[in-house]
Amino acid sequence: MTLEGQFQAKIDAEVKIEPKDWMPDAYRKTLIRQIAQHAHSEIVGMLPEGNWITRAPSLRRKMVLLAKVQDEAGHGLYLYSAAETLGVEREDLIEELHEGKAKYSSIFNYPSLTWADMGAIGWLVDGAAIMNQVPLCRCSYGPYARAMVRICKEESFHQRQGFEIMLTLAQGSEAQKRMAQDALNRWWWPSLMMFGPHDKDSPHTEQSMKWHIKRLTNDELRQRFVDATAPQAAFLGLTIPDPDLKWNEEKGQYDFGAINWDEFWEVVKGNGPCNRQRLQARVKAHEAGAWVRDAAMAYAEKRSAREEVMNKQDARVA
Ligand code: 3HC
């Protein structure tokens, strides 16, 4: 049996692929592509919410939002580490992002205009992320699957805190309810776009399914998200901005309207409302944090030099 044949047999037998295992170059390449984009999404994803930490309406809301944003940073670092197990350098991935050569989730290129956006992002964006990331816990690549287990636990908290903000506003004054509805209006369709193009237009889905990187297709995950979220919007007393959304008894799913793929691809190409602002903020933060990286590297070098001296001394004594 060829190496490819043995590899696919392991995949089909649900044996995890580990960093030191043989793998087709194309498998490695698509994992680096997806994991790097995922990591970039987590890091850039901090920006829309970071914008509201100093303006949270209470100390409790500020603490919860701060904790969530810190989680996202950790998710990004986790995922860069998973990408590094495939032989790439984190610095190179970050440089590609800063030079506008790397993708990250389209959703983070929309502005967070009101406090209700913190609710809509947690409820819808993290809700969509959970829908997409839970199956990734069963991804064939070991480090990625294991990273997802830890990340999904924290995403659940993210989604719940967002829904709680929406519930508080939806049960508040008329002005608060209007703010919640406005946020739902602006975040609903971009959240559906997070799942990627329709399966028929996706160049990667078929192969990623065969390799058990993806366990459900873009459209299957999107449908699950709509089916789970539509009743939540009804519970909130808010209206999803899609006149074609209706329950299809026969299918046991919701039918919903057409996504604006022209908007999606414009945002992916870098022409979204906040693309330039997001990359500028990332570059500025990276440059401002250079001294921390330099100090950590200097400490690590000093420590390893000291350990080398001590090892030599031990060798002489032994
Ligand atoms: N935004 C930007 N680009 C997107 C996209 C999106 N929402 N959806 C798809 N694309 C890009 C793909 O990267 C691909 O471009 P490439 O070939 O240059 O890489 C192209 O559009 C075709 O799309 P495919 O569906 O064929 O590509 P994939 O098979 O990679 O599927 C995906 C796209 C479903 C996003 C998949 O990559 C995936 O599941 N990634 C892991 C999860 C992830 O990255 N989620 C992003 C959000 S993370 C998040 O929300 C954090 C939370 O804490 C808030």
Side-chain angles (χ1 to χ4, degrees), residues 188-189 192 198 223 226-227 230 239-249 251 253-260:
W188 174 254
W189 290 105
L192 296 196
H198 285 309
Q223 183 67 56
V226 173
D227 292 345
T239 307
I240 286 176
D242 177 2
D244 297 324
L245 181 79
K246 58 180 160 300
W247 181 250
N248 181 320
E249 195 53 46
K251 278 180 18 186
Q253 294 174 336
Y254 280 89
D255 292 331
F256 55 93
I259 292 171
N260 181 344

PDB file of all heavy atoms in Angstrom, residues 188-189 192 198 223 226-227 230 239-249 251 253-260:
ATOM      1  N   TRP A 188     -26.318  39.658  12.019  1.00  0.00           N
ATOM      2  CA  TRP A 188     -26.900  38.375  11.620  1.00  0.00           C
ATOM      3  C   TRP A 188     -26.264  37.820  10.327  1.00  0.00           C
ATOM      4  O   TRP A 188     -25.649  36.755  10.331  1.00  0.00           O
ATOM      5  CB  TRP A 188     -28.417  38.476  11.435  1.00  0.00           C
ATOM      6  CG  TRP A 188     -29.031  37.209  10.892  1.00  0.00           C
ATOM      7  CD1 TRP A 188     -29.491  36.982   9.631  1.00  0.00           C
ATOM      8  CD2 TRP A 188     -29.200  35.969  11.594  1.00  0.00           C
ATOM      9  NE1 TRP A 188     -29.938  35.688   9.503  1.00  0.00           N
ATOM     10  CE2 TRP A 188     -29.772  35.035  10.692  1.00  0.00           C
ATOM     11  CE3 TRP A 188     -28.923  35.541  12.905  1.00  0.00           C
ATOM     12  CZ2 TRP A 188     -30.072  33.720  11.055  1.00  0.00           C
ATOM     13  CZ3 TRP A 188     -29.195  34.227  13.263  1.00  0.00           C
ATOM     14  CH2 TRP A 188     -29.779  33.338  12.344  1.00  0.00           C
ATOM     15  N   TRP A 189     -26.341  38.586   9.263  1.00  0.00           N
ATOM     16  CA  TRP A 189     -25.846  38.065   7.981  1.00  0.00           C
ATOM     17  C   TRP A 189     -24.324  37.855   7.988  1.00  0.00           C
ATOM     18  O   TRP A 189     -23.843  36.790   7.548  1.00  0.00           O
ATOM     19  CB  TRP A 189     -26.284  38.969   6.836  1.00  0.00           C
ATOM     20  CG  TRP A 189     -27.757  38.882   6.573  1.00  0.00           C
ATOM     21  CD1 TRP A 189     -28.720  39.798   6.899  1.00  0.00           C
ATOM     22  CD2 TRP A 189     -28.460  37.790   5.955  1.00  0.00           C
ATOM     23  NE1 TRP A 189     -29.970  39.340   6.528  1.00  0.00           N
ATOM     24  CE2 TRP A 189     -29.845  38.115   5.934  1.00  0.00           C
ATOM     25  CE3 TRP A 189     -28.068  36.566   5.424  1.00  0.00           C
ATOM     26  CZ2 TRP A 189     -30.811  37.276   5.413  1.00  0.00           C
ATOM     27  CZ3 TRP A 189     -29.040  35.715   4.887  1.00  0.00           C
ATOM     28  CH2 TRP A 189     -30.394  36.068   4.877  1.00  0.00           C
ATOM     29  N   LEU A 192     -23.581  34.510   9.416  1.00  0.00           N
ATOM     30  CA  LEU A 192     -23.819  33.364   8.514  1.00  0.00           C
ATOM     31  C   LEU A 192     -22.650  33.204   7.546  1.00  0.00           C
ATOM     32  O   LEU A 192     -22.303  32.099   7.131  1.00  0.00           O
ATOM     33  CB  LEU A 192     -25.121  33.538   7.731  1.00  0.00           C
ATOM     34  CG  LEU A 192     -26.445  33.571   8.507  1.00  0.00           C
ATOM     35  CD1 LEU A 192     -27.625  33.351   7.548  1.00  0.00           C
ATOM     36  CD2 LEU A 192     -26.478  32.540   9.611  1.00  0.00           C
ATOM     37  N   HIS A 198     -20.846  28.604   0.043  1.00  0.00           N
ATOM     38  CA  HIS A 198     -21.626  27.374  -0.109  1.00  0.00           C
ATOM     39  C   HIS A 198     -20.683  26.230  -0.504  1.00  0.00           C
ATOM     40  O   HIS A 198     -19.677  26.433  -1.181  1.00  0.00           O
ATOM     41  CB  HIS A 198     -22.715  27.552  -1.173  1.00  0.00           C
ATOM     42  CG  HIS A 198     -23.881  28.383  -0.702  1.00  0.00           C
ATOM     43  ND1 HIS A 198     -24.549  28.140   0.481  1.00  0.00           N
ATOM     44  CD2 HIS A 198     -24.483  29.475  -1.250  1.00  0.00           C
ATOM     45  CE1 HIS A 198     -25.514  29.037   0.638  1.00  0.00           C
ATOM     46  NE2 HIS A 198     -25.503  29.856  -0.389  1.00  0.00           N
ATOM     47  N   GLN A 223     -26.471  25.691   8.596  1.00  0.00           N
ATOM     48  CA  GLN A 223     -27.866  25.289   8.840  1.00  0.00           C
ATOM     49  C   GLN A 223     -28.073  24.987  10.322  1.00  0.00           C
ATOM     50  O   GLN A 223     -29.058  25.399  10.935  1.00  0.00           O
ATOM     51  CB  GLN A 223     -28.210  24.051   8.010  1.00  0.00           C
ATOM     52  CG  GLN A 223     -29.665  23.605   8.149  1.00  0.00           C
ATOM     53  CD  GLN A 223     -30.653  24.592   7.560  1.00  0.00           C
ATOM     54  OE1 GLN A 223     -30.551  24.936   6.375  1.00  0.00           O
ATOM     55  NE2 GLN A 223     -31.589  25.104   8.360  1.00  0.00           N
ATOM     56  N   VAL A 226     -28.354  28.298  12.195  1.00  0.00           N
ATOM     57  CA  VAL A 226     -29.654  28.945  12.007  1.00  0.00           C
ATOM     58  C   VAL A 226     -30.726  28.223  12.821  1.00  0.00           C
ATOM     59  O   VAL A 226     -31.500  28.847  13.554  1.00  0.00           O
ATOM     60  CB  VAL A 226     -30.049  28.981  10.515  1.00  0.00           C
ATOM     61  CG1 VAL A 226     -31.474  29.501  10.341  1.00  0.00           C
ATOM     62  CG2 VAL A 226     -29.078  29.848   9.710  1.00  0.00           C
ATOM     63  N   ASP A 227     -30.710  26.896  12.760  1.00  0.00           N
ATOM     64  CA  ASP A 227     -31.738  26.111  13.481  1.00  0.00           C
ATOM     65  C   ASP A 227     -31.638  26.307  14.986  1.00  0.00           C
ATOM     66  O   ASP A 227     -32.646  26.282  15.698  1.00  0.00           O
ATOM     67  CB  ASP A 227     -31.606  24.619  13.142  1.00  0.00           C
ATOM     68  CG  ASP A 227     -31.963  24.326  11.684  1.00  0.00           C
ATOM     69  OD1 ASP A 227     -32.565  25.211  11.035  1.00  0.00           O
ATOM     70  OD2 ASP A 227     -31.619  23.228  11.195  1.00  0.00           O
ATOM     71  N   ALA A 230     -32.370  30.683  15.676  1.00  0.00           N
ATOM     72  CA  ALA A 230     -33.690  31.298  15.399  1.00  0.00           C
ATOM     73  C   ALA A 230     -34.614  31.224  16.625  1.00  0.00           C
ATOM     74  O   ALA A 230     -35.210  32.238  17.024  1.00  0.00           O
ATOM     75  CB  ALA A 230     -34.332  30.635  14.183  1.00  0.00           C
ATOM     76  N   THR A 239     -36.309  40.172  16.222  1.00  0.00           N
ATOM     77  CA  THR A 239     -36.645  39.662  14.884  1.00  0.00           C
ATOM     78  C   THR A 239     -35.387  39.506  14.032  1.00  0.00           C
ATOM     79  O   THR A 239     -34.638  40.472  13.841  1.00  0.00           O
ATOM     80  CB  THR A 239     -37.595  40.663  14.174  1.00  0.00           C
ATOM     81  OG1 THR A 239     -38.705  40.901  15.042  1.00  0.00           O
ATOM     82  CG2 THR A 239     -38.078  40.126  12.825  1.00  0.00           C
ATOM     83  N   ILE A 240     -35.164  38.303  13.544  1.00  0.00           N
ATOM     84  CA  ILE A 240     -34.011  38.071  12.660  1.00  0.00           C
ATOM     85  C   ILE A 240     -34.279  38.764  11.336  1.00  0.00           C
ATOM     86  O   ILE A 240     -35.371  38.621  10.769  1.00  0.00           O
ATOM     87  CB  ILE A 240     -33.774  36.549  12.489  1.00  0.00           C
ATOM     88  CG1 ILE A 240     -33.156  35.996  13.789  1.00  0.00           C
ATOM     89  CG2 ILE A 240     -32.896  36.248  11.283  1.00  0.00           C
ATOM     90  CD1 ILE A 240     -32.952  34.509  13.818  1.00  0.00           C
ATOM     91  N   PRO A 241     -33.307  39.562  10.848  1.00  0.00           N
ATOM     92  CA  PRO A 241     -33.553  40.384   9.640  1.00  0.00           C
ATOM     93  C   PRO A 241     -33.525  39.557   8.347  1.00  0.00           C
ATOM     94  O   PRO A 241     -32.709  39.789   7.461  1.00  0.00           O
ATOM     95  CB  PRO A 241     -32.391  41.392   9.682  1.00  0.00           C
ATOM     96  CG  PRO A 241     -31.279  40.660  10.355  1.00  0.00           C
ATOM     97  CD  PRO A 241     -31.946  39.786  11.383  1.00  0.00           C
ATOM     98  N   ASP A 242     -34.411  38.578   8.265  1.00  0.00           N
ATOM     99  CA  ASP A 242     -34.491  37.737   7.059  1.00  0.00           C
ATOM    100  C   ASP A 242     -35.962  37.375   6.830  1.00  0.00           C
ATOM    101  O   ASP A 242     -36.502  36.469   7.490  1.00  0.00           O
ATOM    102  CB  ASP A 242     -33.652  36.464   7.241  1.00  0.00           C
ATOM    103  CG  ASP A 242     -33.782  35.525   6.035  1.00  0.00           C
ATOM    104  OD1 ASP A 242     -34.497  35.896   5.062  1.00  0.00           O
ATOM    105  OD2 ASP A 242     -33.184  34.439   6.066  1.00  0.00           O
ATOM    106  N   PRO A 243     -36.621  38.049   5.901  1.00  0.00           N
ATOM    107  CA  PRO A 243     -38.056  37.783   5.662  1.00  0.00           C
ATOM    108  C   PRO A 243     -38.314  36.361   5.143  1.00  0.00           C
ATOM    109  O   PRO A 243     -39.420  35.847   5.246  1.00  0.00           O
ATOM    110  CB  PRO A 243     -38.447  38.827   4.602  1.00  0.00           C
ATOM    111  CG  PRO A 243     -37.164  39.315   4.010  1.00  0.00           C
ATOM    112  CD  PRO A 243     -36.082  39.102   5.038  1.00  0.00           C
ATOM    113  N   ASP A 244     -37.247  35.716   4.651  1.00  0.00           N
ATOM    114  CA  ASP A 244     -37.428  34.346   4.118  1.00  0.00           C
ATOM    115  C   ASP A 244     -37.207  33.279   5.184  1.00  0.00           C
ATOM    116  O   ASP A 244     -37.289  32.085   4.898  1.00  0.00           O
ATOM    117  CB  ASP A 244     -36.454  34.103   2.948  1.00  0.00           C
ATOM    118  CG  ASP A 244     -36.743  35.050   1.788  1.00  0.00           C
ATOM    119  OD1 ASP A 244     -37.934  35.347   1.562  1.00  0.00           O
ATOM    120  OD2 ASP A 244     -35.777  35.541   1.155  1.00  0.00           O
ATOM    121  N   LEU A 245     -36.861  33.728   6.414  1.00  0.00           N
ATOM    122  CA  LEU A 245     -36.619  32.728   7.467  1.00  0.00           C
ATOM    123  C   LEU A 245     -37.942  32.131   7.925  1.00  0.00           C
ATOM    124  O   LEU A 245     -38.820  32.854   8.394  1.00  0.00           O
ATOM    125  CB  LEU A 245     -35.912  33.393   8.658  1.00  0.00           C
ATOM    126  CG  LEU A 245     -35.579  32.471   9.834  1.00  0.00           C
ATOM    127  CD1 LEU A 245     -34.333  31.658   9.539  1.00  0.00           C
ATOM    128  CD2 LEU A 245     -35.394  33.254  11.127  1.00  0.00           C
ATOM    129  N   LYS A 246     -38.115  30.849   7.701  1.00  0.00           N
ATOM    130  CA  LYS A 246     -39.319  30.205   8.257  1.00  0.00           C
ATOM    131  C   LYS A 246     -39.071  28.703   8.435  1.00  0.00           C
ATOM    132  O   LYS A 246     -38.278  28.097   7.723  1.00  0.00           O
ATOM    133  CB  LYS A 246     -40.572  30.454   7.420  1.00  0.00           C
ATOM    134  CG  LYS A 246     -40.546  30.025   6.000  1.00  0.00           C
ATOM    135  CD  LYS A 246     -41.934  30.367   5.332  1.00  0.00           C
ATOM    136  CE  LYS A 246     -41.773  30.391   3.819  1.00  0.00           C
ATOM    137  NZ  LYS A 246     -40.807  31.370   3.337  1.00  0.00           N
ATOM    138  N   TRP A 247     -39.762  28.152   9.431  1.00  0.00           N
ATOM    139  CA  TRP A 247     -39.605  26.735   9.762  1.00  0.00           C
ATOM    140  C   TRP A 247     -40.182  25.864   8.649  1.00  0.00           C
ATOM    141  O   TRP A 247     -41.275  26.109   8.160  1.00  0.00           O
ATOM    142  CB  TRP A 247     -40.319  26.407  11.084  1.00  0.00           C
ATOM    143  CG  TRP A 247     -40.168  24.973  11.465  1.00  0.00           C
ATOM    144  CD1 TRP A 247     -41.132  24.019  11.476  1.00  0.00           C
ATOM    145  CD2 TRP A 247     -38.971  24.311  11.894  1.00  0.00           C
ATOM    146  NE1 TRP A 247     -40.619  22.808  11.863  1.00  0.00           N
ATOM    147  CE2 TRP A 247     -39.293  22.948  12.135  1.00  0.00           C
ATOM    148  CE3 TRP A 247     -37.647  24.731  12.106  1.00  0.00           C
ATOM    149  CZ2 TRP A 247     -38.356  22.009  12.563  1.00  0.00           C
ATOM    150  CZ3 TRP A 247     -36.717  23.795  12.527  1.00  0.00           C
ATOM    151  CH2 TRP A 247     -37.058  22.460  12.759  1.00  0.00           C
ATOM    152  N   ASN A 248     -39.393  24.896   8.215  1.00  0.00           N
ATOM    153  CA  ASN A 248     -39.840  23.966   7.178  1.00  0.00           C
ATOM    154  C   ASN A 248     -40.107  22.618   7.847  1.00  0.00           C
ATOM    155  O   ASN A 248     -39.161  21.870   8.152  1.00  0.00           O
ATOM    156  CB  ASN A 248     -38.730  23.847   6.118  1.00  0.00           C
ATOM    157  CG  ASN A 248     -39.112  22.919   4.968  1.00  0.00           C
ATOM    158  OD1 ASN A 248     -39.730  21.876   5.205  1.00  0.00           O
ATOM    159  ND2 ASN A 248     -38.736  23.288   3.755  1.00  0.00           N
ATOM    160  N   GLU A 249     -41.377  22.359   8.102  1.00  0.00           N
ATOM    161  CA  GLU A 249     -41.761  21.152   8.868  1.00  0.00           C
ATOM    162  C   GLU A 249     -41.241  19.889   8.186  1.00  0.00           C
ATOM    163  O   GLU A 249     -40.727  18.968   8.808  1.00  0.00           O
ATOM    164  CB  GLU A 249     -43.291  21.094   9.010  1.00  0.00           C
ATOM    165  CG  GLU A 249     -43.785  20.112  10.073  1.00  0.00           C
ATOM    166  CD  GLU A 249     -43.136  20.331  11.444  1.00  0.00           C
ATOM    167  OE1 GLU A 249     -43.053  21.496  11.903  1.00  0.00           O
ATOM    168  OE2 GLU A 249     -42.640  19.326  12.022  1.00  0.00           O
ATOM    169  N   LYS A 251     -38.658  19.454   6.201  1.00  0.00           N
ATOM    170  CA  LYS A 251     -37.187  19.252   6.332  1.00  0.00           C
ATOM    171  C   LYS A 251     -36.780  19.164   7.799  1.00  0.00           C
ATOM    172  O   LYS A 251     -35.722  18.684   8.149  1.00  0.00           O
ATOM    173  CB  LYS A 251     -36.453  20.434   5.675  1.00  0.00           C
ATOM    174  CG  LYS A 251     -36.284  20.374   4.177  1.00  0.00           C
ATOM    175  CD  LYS A 251     -35.535  21.568   3.551  1.00  0.00           C
ATOM    176  CE  LYS A 251     -34.724  22.418   4.426  1.00  0.00           C
ATOM    177  NZ  LYS A 251     -34.148  23.615   3.751  1.00  0.00           N
ATOM    178  N   GLN A 253     -36.092  21.788   9.431  1.00  0.00           N
ATOM    179  CA  GLN A 253     -35.052  22.836   9.527  1.00  0.00           C
ATOM    180  C   GLN A 253     -35.694  24.177   9.154  1.00  0.00           C
ATOM    181  O   GLN A 253     -36.800  24.222   8.632  1.00  0.00           O
ATOM    182  CB  GLN A 253     -33.939  22.566   8.487  1.00  0.00           C
ATOM    183  CG  GLN A 253     -33.131  21.313   8.721  1.00  0.00           C
ATOM    184  CD  GLN A 253     -32.152  21.062   7.563  1.00  0.00           C
ATOM    185  OE1 GLN A 253     -32.350  21.525   6.434  1.00  0.00           O
ATOM    186  NE2 GLN A 253     -31.077  20.343   7.852  1.00  0.00           N
ATOM    187  N   TYR A 254     -34.922  25.242   9.380  1.00  0.00           N
ATOM    188  CA  TYR A 254     -35.391  26.548   8.913  1.00  0.00           C
ATOM    189  C   TYR A 254     -34.953  26.764   7.467  1.00  0.00           C
ATOM    190  O   TYR A 254     -33.810  26.440   7.107  1.00  0.00           O
ATOM    191  CB  TYR A 254     -34.796  27.666   9.789  1.00  0.00           C
ATOM    192  CG  TYR A 254     -35.510  27.854  11.096  1.00  0.00           C
ATOM    193  CD1 TYR A 254     -35.137  27.131  12.226  1.00  0.00           C
ATOM    194  CD2 TYR A 254     -36.585  28.745  11.209  1.00  0.00           C
ATOM    195  CE1 TYR A 254     -35.805  27.294  13.431  1.00  0.00           C
ATOM    196  CE2 TYR A 254     -37.258  28.912  12.423  1.00  0.00           C
ATOM    197  CZ  TYR A 254     -36.856  28.181  13.524  1.00  0.00           C
ATOM    198  OH  TYR A 254     -37.525  28.345  14.728  1.00  0.00           O
ATOM    199  N   ASP A 255     -35.823  27.290   6.657  1.00  0.00           N
ATOM    200  CA  ASP A 255     -35.424  27.857   5.365  1.00  0.00           C
ATOM    201  C   ASP A 255     -34.988  29.289   5.643  1.00  0.00           C
ATOM    202  O   ASP A 255     -35.528  29.939   6.540  1.00  0.00           O
ATOM    203  CB  ASP A 255     -36.611  27.874   4.380  1.00  0.00           C
ATOM    204  CG  ASP A 255     -37.017  26.448   3.981  1.00  0.00           C
ATOM    205  OD1 ASP A 255     -36.123  25.559   3.977  1.00  0.00           O
ATOM    206  OD2 ASP A 255     -38.218  26.226   3.749  1.00  0.00           O
ATOM    207  N   PHE A 256     -33.979  29.745   4.905  1.00  0.00           N
ATOM    208  CA  PHE A 256     -33.577  31.145   5.106  1.00  0.00           C
ATOM    209  C   PHE A 256     -33.146  31.769   3.780  1.00  0.00           C
ATOM    210  O   PHE A 256     -32.958  31.064   2.792  1.00  0.00           O
ATOM    211  CB  PHE A 256     -32.486  31.278   6.179  1.00  0.00           C
ATOM    212  CG  PHE A 256     -31.236  30.460   5.967  1.00  0.00           C
ATOM    213  CD1 PHE A 256     -30.129  30.989   5.317  1.00  0.00           C
ATOM    214  CD2 PHE A 256     -31.175  29.149   6.430  1.00  0.00           C
ATOM    215  CE1 PHE A 256     -28.971  30.237   5.138  1.00  0.00           C
ATOM    216  CE2 PHE A 256     -30.020  28.382   6.260  1.00  0.00           C
ATOM    217  CZ  PHE A 256     -28.915  28.922   5.608  1.00  0.00           C
ATOM    218  N   GLY A 257     -33.013  33.072   3.799  1.00  0.00           N
ATOM    219  CA  GLY A 257     -32.785  33.829   2.569  1.00  0.00           C
ATOM    220  C   GLY A 257     -31.378  33.702   2.018  1.00  0.00           C
ATOM    221  O   GLY A 257     -30.512  33.058   2.615  1.00  0.00           O
ATOM    222  N   ALA A 258     -31.180  34.329   0.865  1.00  0.00           N
ATOM    223  CA  ALA A 258     -29.881  34.253   0.155  1.00  0.00           C
ATOM    224  C   ALA A 258     -28.863  35.163   0.836  1.00  0.00           C
ATOM    225  O   ALA A 258     -29.188  36.266   1.292  1.00  0.00           O
ATOM    226  CB  ALA A 258     -30.065  34.692  -1.293  1.00  0.00           C
ATOM    227  N   ILE A 259     -27.630  34.654   0.919  1.00  0.00           N
ATOM    228  CA  ILE A 259     -26.540  35.442   1.526  1.00  0.00           C
ATOM    229  C   ILE A 259     -25.954  36.350   0.443  1.00  0.00           C
ATOM    230  O   ILE A 259     -25.819  35.925  -0.717  1.00  0.00           O
ATOM    231  CB  ILE A 259     -25.467  34.481   2.108  1.00  0.00           C
ATOM    232  CG1 ILE A 259     -26.071  33.732   3.315  1.00  0.00           C
ATOM    233  CG2 ILE A 259     -24.183  35.207   2.487  1.00  0.00           C
ATOM    234  CD1 ILE A 259     -25.200  32.606   3.864  1.00  0.00           C
ATOM    235  N   ASN A 260     -25.527  37.535   0.825  1.00  0.00           N
ATOM    236  CA  ASN A 260     -24.918  38.468  -0.137  1.00  0.00           C
ATOM    237  C   ASN A 260     -23.441  38.126  -0.307  1.00  0.00           C
ATOM    238  O   ASN A 260     -22.570  38.657   0.398  1.00  0.00           O
ATOM    239  CB  ASN A 260     -25.091  39.911   0.377  1.00  0.00           C
ATOM    240  CG  ASN A 260     -24.490  40.927  -0.589  1.00  0.00           C
ATOM    241  OD1 ASN A 260     -23.697  40.560  -1.466  1.00  0.00           O
ATOM    242  ND2 ASN A 260     -24.844  42.181  -0.413  1.00  0.00           N
TER     243      ASN A 260
END
